[in-house]
Every structure is written in structure tokens, then in C-alpha cells.
Amino acid sequence: MLAWELARQGRSVALVDHGRAHYSGPFETVLGSTRALWQRMGLLAQLKHGVIADPLRHGAIWGSSEMMWREGDEQGLLLQRGVFDRAFRDAAREAGATVFEGVRAEQQEHHWLVGTERLVPTFVAYATGRAATTDLAKMTPVGPATTAVTALGEPARGDRNTAVVEAVQDGWIWTHVPKDGEASAAVLLNRDRLKDHSAEEVLAEVFATALGPGSRFRNWRVAHANDATMGERCVSSNLLVLGDAAATIDPLASQGVEKAVSAAGHAACAIATALEQPEWWPRLCALHSRWELGLQAAHRRSTFTFYDQEERFGEHAFWRRRMPPEDPVDLVGGKPLRLIPSVHTARVLMRHGPRYIEVDGAMDAATGEELARVARVPVAPVVSVFDEPRTVADAVALASKAPSLFVLSPREVHEAILQLVARGWLVPGN
Ligand SMILES: Cc1cc2nc3c(=O)[nH]c(=O)nc-3n(C[C@H](O)[C@H](O)[C@H](O)COP(=O)(O)OP(=O)(O)OC[C@H]3O[C@@H](n4cnc5c(N)ncnc54)[C@H](O)[C@@H]3O)c2cc1C
């Protein structure tokens, strides 16, 4: 997506894929809202293979033993991974990128060696997925160690044309039963559940506790297992890292591909800016990293909310480890908040159309984190309100007098203050 986007802008791009991708399963789904977005971006017209309108009826057994069918939802997409990925690379090639498939890129002292070609790129971006890559820092887990085991087998005839998510005591099962052919069932488990037992033994036990299509799955075999732990790489100010290589989300969201595609749009904007202002490259890399981590944190919060809806298995290890963590915002109450000493107003970078520009904002001198806005709210005047400790209510009242804030609703300003608390910039205390 990044190569496609930059090539469309007329930039000179090389895309290198070593051809050893490790997909989660034969299919992944994309939500209806993303489908509409991709259509608007002209992306669907480019992707000729491996993408179809999702023909399956989606259902969930979650929070109760009843099957709930999702009716009336916008139709999503079914991605045939591998075929979809090649179609994307073809689209980049058609847009003008040079695409290398089945080779590695090796960094030499003054150039990169890609097969027999020598490349001297101005900037390099890593979109290498969740697998370990020697060039990048190790991934830090930010959720329980999770494995997804995928089995392929024969579904019951009545389960044809369905995709069902089912919560069971040891995890959850995602069955995918096309009109014809084999069905797949991905089973998400705590990794230690597989410590003393084979994947076959564990899956047999899991399917025995299921009520939906998983319970009727026959003659199945384990196809593969994937790490599905939520993880993130640290903020990088010298490498542009995007998609799963930057941060992974829980597969329950079904939004990993959407996240990777929007990350590519964001990274394209960072690269386009750096080509004009190369001295901003470290700031742009760090800004992109933080954007990835912020997006992942938002996904994490919504995944916890979803896990929280399942109350039947609260005493089982899988569900205990997925209880929502305490939210720092909940600790605020009516207490006064103060700004941490390292945060001050500064000129910061903000995305503006296809580029970054410098605007008034605030920065944490200890981490280099820069922030221009929280949603529509400019950060500089909000930070200035906290020249002394104030309660949220007092700060909102005072902020409403600032010329750049009074056009906004008090609710938006209130929300922005709480976001600064969640970020650790505002803390309770005098
Ligand atoms: C069990 C499970 C189920 C999931 N289900 C869904 C779902 O239904 N919907 C959804 O949207 N998301 C789902 N996801 C998440 C989704 O697969 C990822 O979020 C998404 O593929 C990330 O895209 P990416 O481009 O960052 O990385 P990837 O898709 O992993 O692509 C990385 C690419 O980099 C290449 N590469 C790696 N290392 C190198 C190297 N050193 N040199 C050259 N090339 C290299 C690989 O060949 C690969 O093509 C699921 C994940 C899991 C674990």
C-alpha cells in the first residue's frame, strides 16, 4: 500500500518482499466500513484478485449461549491472503514501483543489495509484519501470550456460508465455512494452554465445549499455529516502521489489515514530507511510531470492552487475563491535575493534507513526544491553562475563554484533557 501510494505520487519506489510471509489462515475478513473506504480510495479497483465481497453470514455466540446473527451490516470483504498480497504488489508495480519478489534486501555499507541489484534509497520503511526482523528491535508484548491454532476440516452441511465467532471457556473460535470445500477454524488460546498438550488434544477439548460450527467440525487437521499476542516495538526515531511490524492488535478486532493500510497512508505522508525536509526525518519516524502506538492502544481498549461482554467464563484463565486494566482517567475524579514538568508548549509537526507542517502545540522534552491536537482540540492552549494545578471542571471553564478553544464544545475540551491524563502529561496532584 505504501509503495502503491508513493508510486502514484510519482516517487521512485522499490518494494522488496522475501516471499516467506506467514499468514494467519486462508482467509481474513475486512469490515464493511473499511470496504467503503477502500472503494472511495480507488483501491478496490486496483485489486483484481484475492478480494471478494464477503458472501458469508456473520454470527457470534458471545456473552450468552445464543447464536446472534449480524443482520443488516454493510457487507465486508473476504481476503484470500497470499493472492490478495500478490494483487497488492501488482497494483504497486502498475503504479510504477519496482517490485522485487522472493529476495531479501541486505544492507551494505553504502547501499542495499537486493538480489544482484544495488539500491541507494533516500529513505527505507519496514512493513515486515509481526515476525522477528534482525534490523528491528524486539517486539514487547502488551497483552497475554496468545496462540492462534488453525484447523482445516469438514463442516456440517447446515453451517455452510457462515463465519462465526464463539467464546468458549479456554478462548474463542473463529469458524469460517465457505459454500463449498474445506472449512477453517482458528482457535485463540493462552499460549501456556499448549505447554503440556499437543495442539490436536487441546483443539479436540475446545471443540467439545463449543455450541456453534466448531462443535460440528469433523475430520479436521491442524494446519498451523501463529503467534497472536498483542505487541509493539519501541518508538523509533531513525527507522520508519509500520503495520504489524510497529504494533499488533488482537485478531478479535478483524482490523489488522485495515490498520496496516491506514498506517501506509500515514507513512506515505511522512515520507513525502521528509523528501522536502530531510532534517525532519527522525521527528517524522518518531511521530509515525507514536501514531501506531496510539492506534494500537485505542484498539486494545475496544478489544477489552468486547472481552468484558463475556461473563460466562470469568473464572477461567483465558478470560481472567483479559479483564480491562484500570483506566488512569477513572482515578481523576474531582482532583486537581498538574502538568508534568517536562511538558511545555512548542512548535510541533501536524499532518495537513498529504504533508506535515509545523504548528503550535506541546512537547514532552523527556521523550520527544510532540502533539498538535487531540481530535479537533489544539493542545497548546489546553496545556497553557494548566500553568497551575486545576480540576478538569475549572480547566474547561477557563479554556472556554481562550480564543482558539471557545468555538469548541466544553465536552470536546473535557475529552482532550482526559486524553492528556491517559497520555501521562497531566497527573493528579498540586
Ligand atoms: C489469527 C489471526 C487472525 C487474523 N485475522 C484478521 C482478519 O480477519 N482481518 C484483519 O484485518 N486482520 C486479521 N489479522 C491481522 C492481519 O493479518 C495483520 O494485521 C496484517 O496482515 C498486517 O499487515 P502488514 O502488512 O503489517 O504485515 P504482513 O501482512 O504480515 O506482511 C508483511 C510482509 O513482509 C514480508 N517480509 C517479512 N520480513 C521480510 C524481510 N526481512 N524482507 C522482505 N520482506 C519481508 C512478508 O513476506 C509479508 O509479505 C489476523 C491476525 C492473526 C494472528
Side-chain angles (χ1 to χ4, degrees):
M1 164 77 188
L2 176 57
W4 178 71
E5 183 60 41
L6 291 171
R8 282 200 319 163
Q9 294 172 14
R11 322 263 177 207
S12 160
V13 191
L15 168 64
V16 186
D17 191 283
H18 68 3
R20 294 170 52 206
H22 196 61
Y23 302 118
S24 71
F27 294 99
E28 287 183 355
T29 56
V30 165
L31 304 182
S33 52
T34 309
R35 178 184 192 212
L37 178 71
W38 287 13
Q39 217 148 18
R40 278 201 301 279
M41 288 163 73
L43 208 60
L44 285 185
Q46 293 298 319
L47 299 172
K48 296 181 189 76
H49 302 287
V51 188
I52 54 165
D54 189 345
L56 304 180
R57 193 175 183 210
H58 284 252
I61 304 176
W62 196 279
S64 90
S65 40
E66 292 284 300
M67 170 75 83
M68 302 294 285
W69 292 107
R70 262 185 13 213
E71 307 293 359
D73 271 4
E74 235 180 311
Q75 192 176 30
L77 295 172
L78 206 54
L79 305 182
Q80 193 183 349
R81 290 305 303 261
V83 180
F84 161 75
D85 299 69
R86 275 193 302 281
F88 229 147
R89 287 196 286 274
D90 288 346
R93 194 182 277 116
E94 276 168 31
T98 307
V99 181
F100 297 88
E101 291 178 271
V103 281
R104 282 180 176 278
E106 283 168 40
Q107 190 170 15
Q108 312 287 315
E109 202 176 333
H110 299 296
H111 65 275
W112 285 72
L113 201 56
V114 182
T116 54
E117 297 264 347
R118 279 162 166 258
L119 302 181
V120 187
T122 313
F123 298 115
V124 178
Y126 291 78
T128 46
R130 66 161 60 225
T133 304
T134 40
D135 298 354
L136 305 181
K138 260 186 88 173
M139 198 74 120
T140 307
V142 292
T146 308
T147 299
V149 184
T150 302
L152 300 175
E154 262 173 49
R157 193 179 309 170
D159 292 326
R160 287 284 176 196
N161 283 315
T162 64
V164 173
V165 174
E166 175 173 0
V168 291
Q169 63 185 37
D170 282 344
W172 55 271
I173 311 172
W174 187 51
T175 50
H176 191 279
V177 187
K179 182 157 80 58
D180 330 281
E182 281 191 313
S184 66
V187 180
L188 276 282
L189 303 155
N190 279 344
R191 184 171 309 151
D192 56 12
R193 183 70 180 77
L194 294 157
K195 207 166 74 194
D196 300 318
H197 300 278
S198 70
E200 283 76 10
E201 285 169 334
V202 174
L203 258 53
E205 279 180 38
V206 168
F207 291 145
T209 61
L211 302 168
S215 68
R216 299 180 282 273
F217 206 35
R218 297 285 171 265
N219 298 326
W220 52 267
R221 63 187 188 284
V222 169
H224 55 85
N226 289 68
D227 178 27
T229 309
M230 282 190 283
E232 62 189 30
R233 289 204 158 91
C234 53
V235 172
S236 162
S237 56
N238 56 358
L239 299 175
L240 190 73
V241 185
L242 64 148
D244 270 16
T248 56
I249 58 176
D250 193 306
L252 190 57
S254 257
Q255 284 178 296
V257 174
E258 178 192 346
K259 176 174 113 20
V261 167
S262 54
H266 197 266
C269 180
I271 290 177
T273 308
L275 286 167
E276 285 162 18
Q277 308 243 204
E279 71 282 8
W280 283 358
W281 180 244
R283 283 171 76 187
L284 290 162
C285 288
L287 212 65
H288 181 79
S289 280
R290 291 202 170 90
W291 178 88
E292 293 270 4
L293 300 185
L295 188 57
Q296 193 225 37
H299 273 289
R300 217 158 58 215
R301 281 193 295 277
S302 56
T303 309
F304 276 124
T305 314
F306 204 45
Y307 279 121
D308 206 32
Q309 287 168 13
E310 178 52 83
E311 293 176 345
R312 290 173 296 161
F313 310 117
E315 78 279 15
H316 292 274
F318 181 88
W319 299 94
R320 271 206 317 274
R321 285 188 210 161
R322 286 162 182 79
M323 302 262 186
E326 200 155 25
D327 189 338
V329 168
D330 292 342
L331 304 174
V332 170
K335 293 183 200 136
L337 297 170
R338 67 176 172 80
L339 212 54
I340 58 169
S342 51
V343 170
H344 56 83
T345 53
R347 294 289 284 170
V348 300
L349 294 178
M350 185 183 82
R351 190 169 169 181
H352 181 68
R355 301 238 163 340
Y356 277 89
I357 53 168
E358 260 192 337
V359 295
D360 287 332
M363 173 179 278
D364 181 347
T367 60
E369 182 175 7
E370 37 188 292
L371 190 63
R373 282 170 191 271
V374 175
R376 294 195 319 141
V377 182
V379 167
V382 176
V383 160
S384 302
V385 163
F386 285 92
D387 54 347
E388 58 182 74
R390 295 185 200 284
T391 62
V392 178
D394 287 351
V396 171
L398 200 62
S400 67
K401 298 193 178 90
S404 54
L405 293 178
F406 72 68
V407 288
L408 300 164
S409 71
R411 191 187 170 78
E412 283 173 291
V413 177
H414 183 268
E415 197 46 45
I417 292 172
L418 295 185
Q419 287 290 324
L420 296 182
V421 174
R423 203 171 272 269
W425 282 16
L426 285 171
V427 291
N430 287 305

